[in-house]
């Protein structure tokens, strides 16, 4: 079984800091290689992988302003699809532009939909569903107009996330600084609970940051650390009383939720999108519907068994389980 793994080119695979699609692509690629699957990764040429690396884009367009995103995205796609007959299957992790090429080749295509953003993108999905096998990353993210080959939750390498059995008295926000992700709600909840809050993540909406986040950052009760990677990232995820994930949109998955639980940190999340699929209420965190419920959950966070959070990730969200699920899907698509 020869697989062409198509990564996005917004960030390196794996990303240096932010880049959830590229991170999942990397995790799956490395897990497949470890299982002896013949995978070629098509990604930016600065990517790091145990698989053969192929591509034409020197660096991510989010890091190099000389690289025009639209121009090089299509150049990237053309480079792969021109050699589609070398592979038994193409696994597309790079969104809907690849579907334009799918009818031009005979090689089966699997697309992992990393979040169905709106009905506006449906014209690049619905007409291709007889040609492309769609994977949802949560049942909540399935669109009623599409047929899906599977729902496959993301997985993470548990051993990369050190377990912190104690955490701290402080709260954590980990994600893009954007209205969707609820940083302002996390600030309000932490203030009401009279607990310090550490915020980590890239500023994706500058106006939102300046209006709703920056005025609260005082370096003591609210601390903003920017994007973080490596050991500092693991310490941040594990060193908290709870992760506040008070989102304002239907989250398709939420890697930081699973990563925090792997480190032992329970999650307090708005009951939207995939959150009920990831969090077991009262066991690995709390699902809330109002600000008052979020504040009450902060008070109860110390009652959560941090070891139970890690066990849940080991049982349900390991990278090994994700790889096994995709291998089973590849076999199904290829007829056994």
């Amino acid at each position: 079984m020869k697989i062409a793994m198509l990564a996005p080119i917004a960030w390196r695979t794996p990303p240096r800091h932010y880049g959830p699609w590229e991170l999942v692509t990397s995790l799956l690629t490395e897990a497949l290689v470890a299982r002896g699957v013949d995978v070629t990764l098509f990604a930016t040429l600065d990517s790091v992988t145990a698989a053969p690396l192929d591509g034409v884009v020197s660096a991510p367009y989010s890091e190099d302003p000389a690289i025009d995103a639209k121009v090089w995205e299509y150049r990237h796609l053309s480079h792969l699809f021109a050699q589609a007959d070398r592979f038994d299957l193409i696994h597309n992790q790079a969104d809907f532009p690849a579907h334009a090429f799918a009818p031009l080749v005979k090689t089966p295509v699997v697309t992992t939909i990393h979040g169905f953003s709106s009905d506006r993108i449906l014209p690049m999905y619905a007409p291709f569903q007889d040609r492309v096998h769609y994977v949802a990353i949560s049942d909540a993210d399935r669109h009623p107009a599409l047929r899906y080959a599977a729902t496959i939750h993301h997985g993470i390498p548990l051993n990369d996330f050190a377990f912190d059995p104690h955490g701290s008295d402080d709260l954590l926000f980990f994600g893009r600084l954007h209205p969707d992700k609820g940083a302002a709600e996390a600030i309000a909840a932490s203030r009401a609970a009279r607990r310090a809050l550490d915020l980590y993540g890239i500023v994706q909406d500058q106006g939102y940051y300046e209006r709703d986040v920056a005025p609260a950052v005082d370096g003591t009760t609210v601390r903003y650390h920017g994007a973080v990677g490596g050991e500092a990232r693991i310490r941040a995820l594990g060193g908290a009383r709870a992760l506040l994930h008070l989102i304002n949109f239907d989250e398709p998955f939420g890697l930081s939720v699973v990563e925090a639980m792997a480190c032992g940190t329970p999650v307090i999340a708005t009951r939207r999108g995939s959150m009920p699929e990831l969090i077991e209420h009262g066991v690995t965190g709390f699902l809330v519907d109002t600000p008052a419920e979020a504040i009450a959950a902060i008070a109860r966070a110390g009652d959560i068994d941090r070891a139970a959070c890690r066990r849940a990730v080991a049982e349900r969200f390991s990278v090994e389980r994700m790889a096994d699920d995709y291998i089973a899907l590849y076999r199904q698509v290829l007829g056994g």
Side-chain angles (χ1 to χ4, degrees), residues 71-91:
V71 169
W72 283 99
E73 185 172 68
Y74 280 95
R75 181 73 181 87
H76 178 56
L77 292 170
S78 178
H79 178 69
L80 185 156
F81 278 91
Q83 48 187 314
D85 57 359
R86 289 182 48 216
F87 300 98
D88 297 313
L89 183 144
I90 295 168
H91 189 161

Side-chain angles (χ1 to χ4, degrees), residues 113-126:
I113 304 176
H114 289 272
F116 202 93
S117 57
S118 77
D119 283 350
R120 290 181 301 169
I121 66 173
L122 198 59
M124 280 304 294
Y125 281 92

Side-chain angles (χ1 to χ4, degrees), residues 116-180:
F116 202 93
S117 57
S118 77
D119 283 350
R120 290 181 301 169
I121 66 173
L122 198 59
M124 280 304 294
Y125 281 92
F128 299 94
Q129 58 187 334
D130 291 332
R131 181 69 190 83
V132 181
H133 305 267
Y134 296 136
V135 175
I137 60 174
S138 65
D139 286 337
D141 199 54
R142 286 182 173 233
H143 192 283
L146 297 183
R147 296 189 302 274
Y148 290 82
T151 294
I152 300 179
H153 288 141
H154 293 332
I156 63 172
L158 190 65
N159 290 339
D160 288 358
F161 293 85
F163 176 60
D164 185 332
H166 305 297
S168 74
D169 292 331
D170 300 338
L171 301 169
L172 173 67
F173 171 89
F174 206 100
R176 297 174 285 123
L177 293 181
H178 183 281
D180 283 352

Side-chain angles (χ1 to χ4, degrees), residues 19-61:
W21 297 16
E22 290 83 355
L23 176 58
V24 170
T25 303
S26 176
L27 291 172
L28 178 58
T29 299
E30 304 313 302
L32 293 174
V33 170
R35 280 164 166 65
V37 179
D38 186 349
V39 185
T40 298
L41 176 65
F42 288 80
T44 59
L45 292 175
D46 61 346
S47 295
V48 179
T49 179
L53 176 64
D54 200 346
V56 290
V57 188
S58 60
Y61 63 73

Side-chain angles (χ1 to χ4, degrees), residues 152-236:
I152 300 179
H153 288 141
H154 293 332
I156 63 172
L158 190 65
N159 290 339
D160 288 358
F161 293 85
F163 176 60
D164 185 332
H166 305 297
S168 74
D169 292 331
D170 300 338
L171 301 169
L172 173 67
F173 171 89
F174 206 100
R176 297 174 285 123
L177 293 181
H178 183 281
D180 283 352
K181 286 290 193 174
E185 286 76 6
I187 291 169
S190 66
R191 281 178 163 172
R194 301 187 182 219
R195 292 186 180 273
L197 174 69
D198 289 293
L199 299 111
Y200 294 85
I202 64 168
V203 176
Q204 195 173 53
D205 185 320
Q206 190 67 35
Y208 170 75
Y209 171 75
E210 293 174 358
R211 181 181 66 252
D212 295 328
V213 177
V217 176
D218 58 12
T220 304
T221 61
V222 179
R223 302 177 288 257
Y224 175 52
H225 305 273
V228 66
E231 288 301 315
R233 183 167 177 268
I234 305 305
R235 288 194 299 271

Side-chain angles (χ1 to χ4, degrees), residues 242-320:
L243 171 71
L244 299 184
H245 201 67
L246 304 178
I247 50 175
N248 295 305
F249 79 124
D250 294 329
E251 178 88 73
F253 188 77
L255 272 172
S256 62
V257 169
V258 173
E259 292 170 344
M261 292 193 301
C263 294
T265 300
V267 181
I268 298 168
T270 306
R271 195 192 311 269
R272 291 191 65 170
S274 63
M275 293 303 101
E277 294 177 51
L278 306 190
I279 299 163
E280 187 176 354
H281 183 75
V283 177
T284 60
F286 298 99
L287 298 165
V288 301
D289 297 301
T290 67
E293 288 181 6
I295 296 163
I298 291 170
R300 296 176 57 199
D303 298 336
I304 297 291
D305 179 0
R306 294 176 69 91
C309 295
R310 187 171 178 86
R311 281 196 302 272
V313 176
E315 292 167 3
R316 301 182 55 220
F317 302 111
S318 72
V319 70
E320 292 81 10

